[in-house]
PDB file of all heavy atoms in Angstrom:
ATOM      1  N   GLY A 393      -1.223 -10.438  22.716  1.00 87.00           N
ATOM      2  CA  GLY A 393       0.183 -10.132  22.509  1.00 87.00           C
ATOM      3  C   GLY A 393       0.818  -9.482  23.717  1.00 87.00           C
ATOM      4  O   GLY A 393       0.183  -9.299  24.754  1.00 87.00           O
ATOM      5  N   PHE A 394       2.077  -9.140  23.573  1.00 87.00           N
ATOM      6  CA  PHE A 394       2.869  -8.550  24.648  1.00 87.00           C
ATOM      7  C   PHE A 394       3.119  -7.071  24.391  1.00 87.00           C
ATOM      8  O   PHE A 394       4.130  -6.523  24.784  1.00 87.00           O
ATOM      9  CB  PHE A 394       4.214  -9.275  24.753  1.00 87.00           C
ATOM     10  CG  PHE A 394       4.095 -10.705  25.179  1.00 87.00           C
ATOM     11  CD1 PHE A 394       3.998 -11.721  24.242  1.00 87.00           C
ATOM     12  CD2 PHE A 394       4.054 -11.029  26.519  1.00 87.00           C
ATOM     13  CE1 PHE A 394       3.882 -13.035  24.632  1.00 87.00           C
ATOM     14  CE2 PHE A 394       3.933 -12.345  26.918  1.00 87.00           C
ATOM     15  CZ  PHE A 394       3.848 -13.354  25.976  1.00 87.00           C
ATOM     16  N   GLY A 395       2.201  -6.407  23.753  1.00 82.00           N
ATOM     17  CA  GLY A 395       2.399  -5.039  23.312  1.00 82.00           C
ATOM     18  C   GLY A 395       2.307  -3.982  24.385  1.00 82.00           C
ATOM     19  O   GLY A 395       2.274  -4.242  25.590  1.00 82.00           O
ATOM     20  N   LYS A 396       2.232  -2.774  23.906  1.00 80.00           N
ATOM     21  CA  LYS A 396       2.227  -1.573  24.732  1.00 80.00           C
ATOM     22  C   LYS A 396       0.996  -1.537  25.640  1.00 80.00           C
ATOM     23  O   LYS A 396      -0.099  -1.901  25.238  1.00 80.00           O
ATOM     24  CB  LYS A 396       2.230  -0.354  23.809  1.00 80.00           C
ATOM     25  CG  LYS A 396       2.406   0.952  24.508  1.00 80.00           C
ATOM     26  CD  LYS A 396       2.551   2.073  23.499  1.00 80.00           C
ATOM     27  CE  LYS A 396       2.793   3.373  24.215  1.00 80.00           C
ATOM     28  NZ  LYS A 396       3.046   4.459  23.282  1.00 80.00           N
ATOM     29  N   THR A 397       1.199  -1.100  26.866  1.00 81.00           N
ATOM     30  CA  THR A 397       0.108  -0.909  27.825  1.00 81.00           C
ATOM     31  C   THR A 397       0.066   0.566  28.205  1.00 81.00           C
ATOM     32  O   THR A 397       0.862   1.370  27.715  1.00 81.00           O
ATOM     33  CB  THR A 397       0.318  -1.758  29.097  1.00 81.00           C
ATOM     34  OG1 THR A 397       1.440  -1.240  29.823  1.00 81.00           O
ATOM     35  CG2 THR A 397       0.546  -3.222  28.757  1.00 81.00           C
ATOM     36  N   GLU A 398      -0.830   0.900  29.120  1.00 80.00           N
ATOM     37  CA  GLU A 398      -0.936   2.289  29.573  1.00 80.00           C
ATOM     38  C   GLU A 398       0.324   2.749  30.307  1.00 80.00           C
ATOM     39  O   GLU A 398       0.616   3.933  30.365  1.00 80.00           O
ATOM     40  CB  GLU A 398      -2.136   2.454  30.510  1.00 80.00           C
ATOM     41  CG  GLU A 398      -3.481   2.219  29.869  1.00 80.00           C
ATOM     42  CD  GLU A 398      -3.866   0.743  29.783  1.00 80.00           C
ATOM     43  OE1 GLU A 398      -3.111  -0.127  30.250  1.00 80.00           O
ATOM     44  OE2 GLU A 398      -4.921   0.472  29.216  1.00 80.00           O
ATOM     45  N   ILE A 399       1.093   1.806  30.859  1.00 86.00           N
ATOM     46  CA  ILE A 399       2.254   2.185  31.672  1.00 86.00           C
ATOM     47  C   ILE A 399       3.598   1.682  31.146  1.00 86.00           C
ATOM     48  O   ILE A 399       4.632   1.966  31.723  1.00 86.00           O
ATOM     49  CB  ILE A 399       2.074   1.697  33.128  1.00 86.00           C
ATOM     50  CG1 ILE A 399       1.894   0.180  33.178  1.00 86.00           C
ATOM     51  CG2 ILE A 399       0.913   2.410  33.797  1.00 86.00           C
ATOM     52  CD1 ILE A 399       1.900  -0.408  34.567  1.00 86.00           C
ATOM     53  N   SER A 400       3.599   0.932  30.037  1.00 87.00           N
ATOM     54  CA  SER A 400       4.851   0.359  29.552  1.00 87.00           C
ATOM     55  C   SER A 400       4.818   0.155  28.042  1.00 87.00           C
ATOM     56  O   SER A 400       3.756   0.028  27.448  1.00 87.00           O
ATOM     57  CB  SER A 400       5.090  -0.984  30.251  1.00 87.00           C
ATOM     58  OG  SER A 400       6.262  -1.596  29.767  1.00 87.00           O
ATOM     59  N   ASP A 401       6.004   0.099  27.431  1.00 87.00           N
ATOM     60  CA  ASP A 401       6.087  -0.164  25.994  1.00 87.00           C
ATOM     61  C   ASP A 401       5.860  -1.632  25.665  1.00 87.00           C
ATOM     62  O   ASP A 401       5.609  -1.988  24.522  1.00 87.00           O
ATOM     63  CB  ASP A 401       7.451   0.261  25.446  1.00 87.00           C
ATOM     64  CG  ASP A 401       7.545   1.769  25.301  1.00 87.00           C
ATOM     65  OD1 ASP A 401       6.498   2.428  25.235  1.00 87.00           O
ATOM     66  OD2 ASP A 401       8.678   2.277  25.247  1.00 87.00           O
ATOM     67  N   LYS A 402       6.000  -2.505  26.655  1.00 88.00           N
ATOM     68  CA  LYS A 402       5.696  -3.921  26.456  1.00 88.00           C
ATOM     69  C   LYS A 402       5.228  -4.516  27.769  1.00 88.00           C
ATOM     70  O   LYS A 402       5.572  -4.041  28.848  1.00 88.00           O
ATOM     71  CB  LYS A 402       6.896  -4.684  25.904  1.00 88.00           C
ATOM     72  CG  LYS A 402       8.099  -4.707  26.812  1.00 88.00           C
ATOM     73  CD  LYS A 402       9.228  -5.471  26.172  1.00 88.00           C
ATOM     74  CE  LYS A 402      10.435  -5.487  27.110  1.00 88.00           C
ATOM     75  NZ  LYS A 402      11.511  -6.283  26.570  1.00 88.00           N
ATOM     76  N   SER A 403       4.450  -5.569  27.659  1.00 90.00           N
ATOM     77  CA  SER A 403       3.876  -6.205  28.834  1.00 90.00           C
ATOM     78  C   SER A 403       4.670  -7.447  29.219  1.00 90.00           C
ATOM     79  O   SER A 403       5.135  -8.187  28.350  1.00 90.00           O
ATOM     80  CB  SER A 403       2.423  -6.603  28.543  1.00 90.00           C
ATOM     81  OG  SER A 403       1.897  -7.354  29.608  1.00 90.00           O
ATOM     82  N   ARG A 404       4.803  -7.692  30.501  1.00 91.00           N
ATOM     83  CA  ARG A 404       5.426  -8.926  30.995  1.00 91.00           C
ATOM     84  C   ARG A 404       4.529 -10.121  30.693  1.00 91.00           C
ATOM     85  O   ARG A 404       5.003 -11.221  30.417  1.00 91.00           O
ATOM     86  CB  ARG A 404       5.636  -8.797  32.510  1.00 91.00           C
ATOM     87  CG  ARG A 404       6.034 -10.086  33.164  1.00 91.00           C
ATOM     88  CD  ARG A 404       6.146  -9.941  34.677  1.00 91.00           C
ATOM     89  NE  ARG A 404       6.238 -11.253  35.295  1.00 91.00           N
ATOM     90  CZ  ARG A 404       6.341 -11.449  36.587  1.00 91.00           C
ATOM     91  NH1 ARG A 404       6.345 -10.418  37.412  1.00 91.00           N
ATOM     92  NH2 ARG A 404       6.417 -12.659  37.070  1.00 91.00           N
TER      93      ARG A 404
END
Side-chain angles (χ1 to χ4, degrees):
F394 294 92
K396 188 174 183 175
T397 68
E398 295 82 2
I399 59 172
S400 178
D401 284 339
K402 63 181 180 176
S403 173
R404 170 184 167 180

